[in-house]
Amino acid sequence: MLLLFFASLSAAAQLPDALEFRQLQARHRRGLSQIRALLDDSYVTSNDENFCMQYPPNVLRWLLSPPGACNALQVGLAERDRPGLVAFICALPVSLVVKGTKQQAVEVTLLCVHRKWRKCGLAALLISELRKRAMAQGISFAIYTSARPHGRPLLSAQCYHRPLKPRHLIRSGFWQLPVGLSIRSVDAAALPLPRVDRRLVRRMCRADVESCHRMFCARAQQYQLAASLTLAEFRHRFCDAPRCYTYVFGPRANAPAAFISFMLLPITSDSCHVRHITQAVLLGFAIETGQSVQPADVLAAALHCASERGAHVFNALALAEYTPKVLSSLGFGAGDGLTHIYIVQRAWDGTAPLQIDRLARDDGEDSFMPQDVSWLPLT
């Protein structure tokens, strides 16, 4: 459906009289609480809709307040004269490198419709309204992900899970015990030991930020699609985010040889005795050119750090260096579906709208391969 993000507005559905659009501000407590109440109830994270993401207030405020965020692009739908939301969508600014060219874009995310209002066409209404507002702001480039394919995506990447506390995951229903294994044997499976000396792994400090930012931007040039963050955006994502843990590799006296970052987010289930689990979500990483540190070793160290911080599972998309083979070697298993990545662009020279749901690779193929992409979604 989001493939129509920059399509003609003439076919947009009409807003029912009982509903109204609301412009929300995440910095204000009332707007934040309305968004959070909707997401806590209806923002599902699994195909069977048994699990809901739970965004703590400080995480949601951080997510909706990146540098350059526009309140007009945070759109809610509500019943007239009633508190609370029945649907929400937003577009957040992001800097990208696409085939070597920098693009200022928005990431369309957090599309959520209350369970009681689904199949009423509200998602299309939200997208249409957000599209009009984006066009009024002069925005011509959008990126988004979808669990369900709509047309041909730019690429599709498998989500992988690495159980860190298997017994808890099984009781919550998040993970099924593999055939032929007992719970005792799964509990006994140790995390892989990284070849990186743990004494050289430490939390990022202010003195590390600029060198890690340069490392991150240099890595972006190696891929067909990557995030290319300004220093302010880098600080916002990897330093200022609550529940975010960013680790660097190397002696404190030297510039870091690598860094990796993950965020801890709670998930709830209504169908099992154990209702809450904590997942670690990979936010980004980079390795300095010429260093002997391997991507698998960096991720292995992050698994240990996440486990120590209380994570029950570590989630990562099979993109860039983290191929299915590398992830499998670290004990990851394929999740319950694919994440489909789309890019949509509109021409602004007075010509007809241009829709792009795929970009040609240099070898003439229509879509990117997962190893071509290092961009990771915010949510």
Side-chain angles (χ1 to χ4, degrees), residues 3-63:
L3 286 176
L4 303 179
F5 190 74
F6 289 119
S8 171
L9 303 180
S10 59
Q14 295 297 314
L15 181 66
D17 292 337
L19 299 179
E20 63 181 3
F21 289 112
R22 288 184 184 170
Q23 184 171 311
L24 303 161
Q25 296 188 31
R27 294 182 178 87
H28 296 172
R29 181 178 299 178
R30 182 180 178 184
L32 188 70
S33 63
Q34 290 181 356
I35 299 170
R36 184 170 181 246
L38 173 67
L39 297 179
D40 285 355
D41 181 82
S42 301
Y43 197 59
V44 298
T45 61
S46 60
N47 289 342
D48 58 11
E49 299 192 359
N50 284 333
F51 295 91
C52 279
M53 185 78 75
Q54 302 287 295
Y55 288 103
N58 57 348
V59 172
L60 189 58
R61 184 180 295 108
W62 163 83
L63 178 64

Side-chain angles (χ1 to χ4, degrees), residues 135-356:
M135 292 170 64
Q137 298 286 331
I139 294 168
S140 60
F141 210 92
I143 188 168
Y144 65 92
T145 63
S146 175
R148 299 175 182 175
H150 304 282
R152 187 171 184 178
L154 180 70
L155 77 148
S156 301
Q158 180 73 56
C159 181
Y160 279 76
H161 305 306
R162 205 312 174 178
L164 302 177
K165 295 177 172 59
R167 187 180 294 267
H168 194 96
L169 295 177
I170 292 170
R171 289 175 176 171
S172 72
F174 184 87
W175 189 59
Q176 301 297 320
L177 186 67
V179 177
L181 291 181
S182 66
I183 186 67
R184 183 172 299 178
S185 64
V186 171
D187 278 341
L191 286 170
L193 292 175
R195 291 177 291 181
V196 177
D197 189 340
R198 284 295 302 277
R199 292 172 297 180
L200 299 180
V201 180
R202 54 184 175 80
R203 292 287 296 273
M204 179 188 284
C205 64
R206 289 187 178 183
D208 301 318
V209 172
E210 291 192 6
S211 58
C212 287
H213 174 245
R214 288 193 296 269
M215 189 192 313
F216 185 84
C217 292
R219 177 174 179 264
Q221 299 300 322
Q222 303 172 21
Y223 294 92
Q224 300 275 21
L225 173 63
S228 180
L229 307 180
T230 65
L231 183 57
E233 291 169 335
F234 184 90
R235 290 182 186 275
H236 177 79
R237 180 171 297 195
F238 298 119
C239 304
D240 301 339
R243 302 175 67 92
C244 170
Y245 298 91
T246 303
Y247 293 87
V248 298
F249 296 73
R252 189 173 295 273
N254 299 340
F259 83 89
I260 192 166
S261 183
F262 60 85
M263 177 176 280
L264 299 183
L265 291 173
I267 295 178
T268 61
S269 171
D270 294 329
S271 60
C272 296
H273 297 297
V274 178
R275 294 191 58 197
H276 301 277
I277 64 172
T278 299
Q279 64 170 348
V281 181
L282 182 64
L283 289 183
F285 83 101
I287 299 174
E288 187 68 79
T289 303
Q291 295 290 335
S292 60
V293 181
Q294 298 299 312
D297 296 325
V298 173
L299 185 53
L303 293 176
H304 282 268
C305 294
S307 180
E308 292 166 1
R309 295 286 178 178
H312 299 108
V313 62
F314 199 110
N315 294 346
L317 289 175
L319 294 172
E321 295 96 328
Y322 292 136
T323 63
K325 182 178 180 180
V326 170
L327 294 175
S328 297
S329 72
L330 294 174
F332 283 81
D336 60 358
L338 297 172
T339 294
H340 307 282
I341 300 175
Y342 296 86
I343 284 180
V344 187
Q345 187 177 17
R346 177 188 170 92
W348 291 97
D349 57 0
T351 62
L354 172 66
Q355 293 186 51
I356 299 178

